[in-house]
């Protein structure tokens, strides 16, 4: 009996994504509209816990580009309940890491939370689901807070 090791394996994903060039290439493929000249060395398995009583997070891959834009990439291997809330929590943790005491809110940079899923997280059959904050009454009005969540569905069949 042979056991296949794939990119979904935590060690393999971390090893591949810790390669600066490969990580930058993946981000550029996911977000082709951005011009990413360089990224920091990706931090693999970055742990963030504010206090001993708060719920910590472990980001699979966390990096910044030349403009300070944050990219957090997670391999989500199981379809568990609470994925939207998890993204919300991750985005909040990223924001709290970015904003230091005394800094103005306007200094918060764009942040992307990207989940790669070997399943369809929302059941519509799409390869990709992008979420940003828009006005419900007028979808042309974006909040512009700088948060984007992207879910990539490796099993998707439609755009």
């Amino acid at each position: 009996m042979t056991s296949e090791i794939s990119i979904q394996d935590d060690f393999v994903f971390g090893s591949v994504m810790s390669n600066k060039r490969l990580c930058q290439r993946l981000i550029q493929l996911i977000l082709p509209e951005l011009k990413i000249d360089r990224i920091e060395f990706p931090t693999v398995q970055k742990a963030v816990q504010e206090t001993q009583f708060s719920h910590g997070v472990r980001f699979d891959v966390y990096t910044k580009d030349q403009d300070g834009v944050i990219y957090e990439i997670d391999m989500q291997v199981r379809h568990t309940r609470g994925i939207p809330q998890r993204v919300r929590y991750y985005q909040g943790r990223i924001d709290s890491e970015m904003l230091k005491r005394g800094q103005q809110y306007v200094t918060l940079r764009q942040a992307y939370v990207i989940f790669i899923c070997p399943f369809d997280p929302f059941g519509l059959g799409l390869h990709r689901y992008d979420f940003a904050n828009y006005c419900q009454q007028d979808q042309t009005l974006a909040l512009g807070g700088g948060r984007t969540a992207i879910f990539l569905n490796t099993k998707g069949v439609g755009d």
Side-chain angles (χ1 to χ4, degrees):
M1 182 169 143
T2 62
S3 167
E4 278 190 39
I5 296 178
S6 73
I7 192 72
Q8 294 176 28
D9 178 81
D10 216 25
F11 176 77
V12 174
F13 185 70
S15 297
V16 170
M17 295 309 294
S18 64
N19 179 304
K20 187 176 173 179
R21 186 179 57 78
L22 292 176
C23 184
Q24 179 178 343
R25 181 75 179 124
L26 177 64
I27 294 168
Q28 192 67 76
L29 284 170
I30 295 169
L31 298 161
E33 68 277 9
L34 301 182
K35 183 173 181 348
I36 302 170
D37 295 325
R38 62 179 168 73
I39 62 169
E40 290 182 351
F41 279 100
T43 303
V44 177
Q45 304 289 324
K46 177 182 172 81
V48 177
Q49 186 160 357
E50 198 170 298
T51 71
Q52 64 182 6
F53 303 108
S54 65
H55 190 296
V57 297
R58 182 184 48 83
F59 300 130
D60 285 355
V61 177
Y62 184 94
T63 191
K64 294 180 192 176
D65 70 13
Q66 72 278 353
D67 298 320
V69 174
I70 302 290
Y71 305 92
E72 192 283 318
I73 306 168
D74 258 58
M75 177 62 68
Q76 180 71 34
V77 294
R78 286 185 307 279
H79 194 344
T80 58
R81 292 182 43 207
I83 290 177
Q85 291 82 4
R86 183 174 179 186
V87 167
R88 174 182 165 188
Y89 194 72
Y90 278 23
Q91 288 174 327
R93 288 307 204 155
I94 291 168
D95 289 348
S96 69
E97 286 280 299
M98 258 194 282
L99 195 63
K100 303 302 177 210
R101 185 181 193 135
Q103 285 184 307
Q104 300 294 314
Y105 294 112
V106 72
T107 62
L108 286 172
R109 306 299 299 175
Q110 176 73 36
Y112 293 90
V113 172
I114 302 165
F115 275 44
I116 301 172
C117 307
F119 56 85
D120 189 341
F122 301 101
L124 298 180
L126 302 176
H127 284 109
R128 179 181 178 132
Y129 298 90
D130 290 65
F131 293 91
N133 290 327
Y134 293 92
C135 176
Q136 289 185 346
Q137 290 76 17
D138 183 349
Q139 294 286 312
T140 64
L141 177 60
L143 184 59
R147 289 178 165 186
T148 303
I150 300 171
F151 293 84
L152 302 175
N153 169 18
T154 64
K155 306 285 191 222
V157 294
D159 291 334

